[in-house]
Amino acid sequence: MKSIVLSAMICAAVASNGIASTNTSYDASNDKELVNDQKSVAAFKQAITFHQRNVDVLWEQYGLAEARIKESRGNHAELERDKNFFIGVYQQDIDNGVRVNESKKAIEAINVTYAEKHAQRDAYEKKQIAKLQAQLKAELNNEKKQFEKAKKKYASLINEETLPLLREAEQHFAKAIERANSFPSSGTAIAAR
């Protein structure tokens, strides 16, 4: 009896293996394609993130360079300190009653001189910042071109997973370029010191 049950189990196992092997054909190339697609999607996502980060870095560098220009030697704050020092010296003379008229004239001359120096500094900063803005615009446009190349390269991978990232990156680029294009033209004055 045991042998009949055992042989029945063996027959059932052999029969099920035969049925299973004829009905399902395993294709390893599907797994390879799936892995390659996942790697490509990951590469596409990284490319999107990379270009977005480059835009942020360009703006950070612009901000630092603009601050460096405004804080460089001979800036408005230094001019004001120098002016206040010289006026203070002549003001002491006026307060002490020494050379009052001459000191008042000297203070007026100092005010005129430093107004000219501030105007020269404004012109210098304006020129340097205009160059910097032109460089930023060129770099942003270059980055946009590189992004468009990546978008074309990975066009077949645009799907529900990558489309939101792609749209976000496109909006990021649009805002960055719009912001750069909103810089005052070279004919306008620097608003604040």
Side-chain angles (χ1 to χ4, degrees), residues 14 28 38 55 62 65 69 76 94 109 117 121 125 128 154 184 187:
V14 169
Q38 289 173 342
V55 169
Y62 170 80
I69 289 168
H76 289 291
I94 292 171
K117 287 184 178 188
R121 181 63 190 197
E125 286 181 8
Q128 295 302 313
Y154 294 109

Side-chain angles (χ1 to χ4, degrees), residues 32-88:
K32 288 179 184 176
E33 288 176 16
L34 181 62
V35 168
N36 286 339
D37 283 347
Q38 289 173 342
K39 286 182 182 178
S40 296
V41 168
F44 185 35
K45 287 179 178 180
Q46 286 177 343
I48 292 170
T49 304
F50 173 76
H51 290 293
Q52 251 183 313
R53 178 67 184 134
N54 283 351
V55 169
D56 294 338
V57 168
L58 287 171
W59 277 106
E60 288 171 18
Q61 289 174 340
Y62 170 80
L64 292 172
E66 184 179 30
R68 199 173 315 122
I69 289 168
K70 290 182 178 183
E71 295 170 3
S72 65
R73 188 170 178 261
N75 63 39
H76 289 291
E78 287 180 10
L79 291 174
E80 279 300 305
R81 278 193 302 270
D82 291 347
K83 176 182 139 185
N84 291 337
F85 171 77
F86 291 123
I87 288 176

Side-chain angles (χ1 to χ4, degrees), residues 140-177:
L140 285 172
N141 287 327
N142 184 41
E143 193 61 39
K144 174 85 171 154
K145 287 177 187 175
Q146 296 300 320
F147 174 70
E148 293 298 328
K149 284 181 184 178
K151 200 164 80 170
K152 286 179 184 175
K153 178 180 176 182
Y154 294 109
S156 64
L157 299 174
I158 297 175
N159 57 25
E160 303 85 32
E161 183 180 358
T162 57
L163 188 60
L165 294 173
L166 188 61
R167 286 186 178 152
E168 180 184 333
E170 288 172 338
Q171 289 174 352
H172 194 68
F173 271 102
K175 286 178 185 176
I177 291 172

Side-chain angles (χ1 to χ4, degrees), residues 94-109:
I94 292 171
D95 293 344
N96 293 333
V98 179
R99 298 184 306 261
V100 174
N101 289 334
E102 294 166 351
S103 295
K104 287 180 180 180
K105 288 179 185 177
I107 288 174
E108 288 176 21

